[in-house]
Amino acid sequence: MDAENWLVGIIGRALAFGTPLLWAALGETYVERAGVVNLGMEGMMLVGALTGFAVTMATDNPALGILMAGVAGAVFSALHAFVTITLRANQYVSGLALTILGTGATGLIGKAYEGQPLLTTLENISVPVLKDIPILGPMLFTDQSVLTYLGVLIGVLLWLLLYKSRLGIMLRSAGENPKAVDAQGLNVTLIRYAAVIFGGFMAGIAGGFFSVAYRPSWTQGTTGGVGWIALAIVIFGRWNPMYVMLGSVFFGALYVLSFRLQEKLSPDLLNMMPYLFVILVLILTAIGKKGSGGVPEALGTPYRRGER
């Protein structure tokens, strides 16, 4: 295989594997922009993956399966919203509990689906005309999931919404200075609830991608810790949807390389590579940041109306 084909293969598969990272990280970006941390990403993705698989198997409709995966993730995340926004419990503990609950519940309920093939899946597509462009065509527009392109489109729309609209100002203000938002007569609780549930919907879609499109089957822990990497990508992307998209492709490429280089390097070392880069990125981000480094000022802080 020459260098050109090798590079085309790496980038093409990086887009595929970066797709669930992209959906999950974009959702968490909005959650954290509103001032809430949700470490339950892995649990929500597993709930979405199992729901998407079960619905698709029952209906032979993968689009409905993906949609219901998002709905399941949103419903599951509402639990985190209630505990952390209404009851003002510790957001980090609640998120970890959500991951443990999602992992355990899907492992138990999903046993009935293990080993069963999914006859109808979300097929990949090739974009007419664009797929014939030399190098870029095979790299970007051939045999990709529609969720990949939809994720990129949503990423751009979320960036526009966050930085170019009044709704985006409200969301960012809820994460930076919720008292000022409250003083304007806006409902901080409602904004944060909406952000957390939206983040859960996006994480559910990410999980559904695994079980309905990428490897259409259900096994316990099918997401393989991707939710944790998505959380790191949010920090890597400095809570900006555009940078989050770049980070998703970068970490997707690392996963692909961990398989492609196994003939030359130790498989154990390569399997560690994405997670080692997560640690490296977090260290470099912490060292390189100036001032807040893009971190929302009220991130992780419950809001109590009238409290000084």
Side-chain angles (χ1 to χ4, degrees):
M1 180 182 293
D2 57 31
E4 180 181 313
N5 288 333
W6 187 82
L7 182 62
V8 167
I10 293 294
I11 299 297
R13 298 322 300 162
L15 288 176
F17 202 87
T19 299
L21 292 171
L22 174 62
W23 282 82
L26 284 175
E28 181 64 14
T29 297
Y30 262 50
V31 176
E32 296 193 9
R33 274 293 186 179
V36 181
V37 176
N38 188 354
L39 299 182
M41 187 72 67
E42 187 72 7
M44 294 186 296
M45 288 179 66
L46 285 170
V47 169
L50 178 58
T51 303
F53 182 83
V55 172
T56 303
M57 175 170 279
T59 64
D60 283 332
N61 187 334
L64 181 61
I66 291 291
L67 177 62
M68 294 312 296
V71 172
V75 171
F76 201 52
S77 69
L79 179 63
H80 180 68
F82 176 73
V83 170
T84 59
I85 300 172
T86 301
L87 301 182
R88 302 182 183 88
N90 185 291
Q91 297 178 9
Y92 300 92
V93 174
S94 173
L96 291 173
L98 208 66
T99 287
I100 295 170
L101 178 61
T103 303
T106 54
L108 178 64
I109 300 170
K111 285 186 180 299
Y113 295 101
E114 288 186 355
Q116 297 190 40
L118 197 59
L119 300 179
T120 307
T121 66
L122 194 66
E123 300 291 342
N124 288 348
I125 62 171
S126 297
V127 182
V129 181
L130 296 180
K131 68 182 175 60
D132 298 323
I133 300 174
I135 301 179
L136 290 180
M139 185 185 293
L140 304 177
F141 304 112
T142 301
D143 196 29
Q144 296 288 348
S145 172
V146 68
L147 289 177
T148 302
Y149 301 123
L150 191 58
V152 172
L153 176 62
I154 289 176
V156 174
L157 293 176
L158 289 178
W159 181 85
L160 290 172
L161 187 67
L162 192 61
Y163 292 107
K164 305 294 181 182
S165 74
R166 185 171 182 272
L167 187 62
I169 294 174
M170 290 164 51
L171 182 76
R172 286 185 284 137
S173 298
E176 297 287 348
N177 191 346
K179 291 180 181 177
V181 175
D182 200 1
Q184 294 291 321
L186 300 173
N187 191 326
V188 176
T189 298
L190 181 61
I191 294 171
R192 288 188 166 183
Y193 256 90
V196 172
I197 291 173
F198 172 73
F201 179 82
M202 297 288 281
I205 296 287
F209 174 83
F210 273 108
S211 62
V212 179
Y214 191 72
R215 45 178 180 238
S217 61
W218 166 257
T219 54
Q220 185 174 358
T222 190
T223 53
V226 164
W228 299 110
I229 296 180
L231 287 166
I233 290 174
V234 176
I235 301 172
F236 172 80
R238 291 179 173 261
W239 296 266
N240 183 319
M242 287 298 188
Y243 297 147
V244 164
M245 286 195 285
L246 295 176
S248 300
V249 176
F250 174 71
F251 280 95
L254 289 180
Y255 264 102
V256 177
L257 287 173
S258 71
F259 292 105
R260 294 288 181 91
L261 297 178
Q262 288 190 0
E263 292 182 355
K264 300 179 179 178
L265 297 173
S266 165
D268 292 333
L269 177 63
L270 290 170
N271 290 334
M272 292 168 57
M273 187 167 61
Y275 303 98
L276 290 175
F277 267 86
V278 168
I279 296 172
L280 179 62
V281 163
L282 293 177
I283 292 174
L284 291 177
T285 302
I287 293 174
K289 71 181 183 181
K290 297 179 179 178
S292 66
V295 183
E297 288 290 332
L299 181 62
T301 306
Y303 177 66
R304 298 174 186 272
R305 193 172 193 184
E307 183 181 69
R308 295 187 176 182

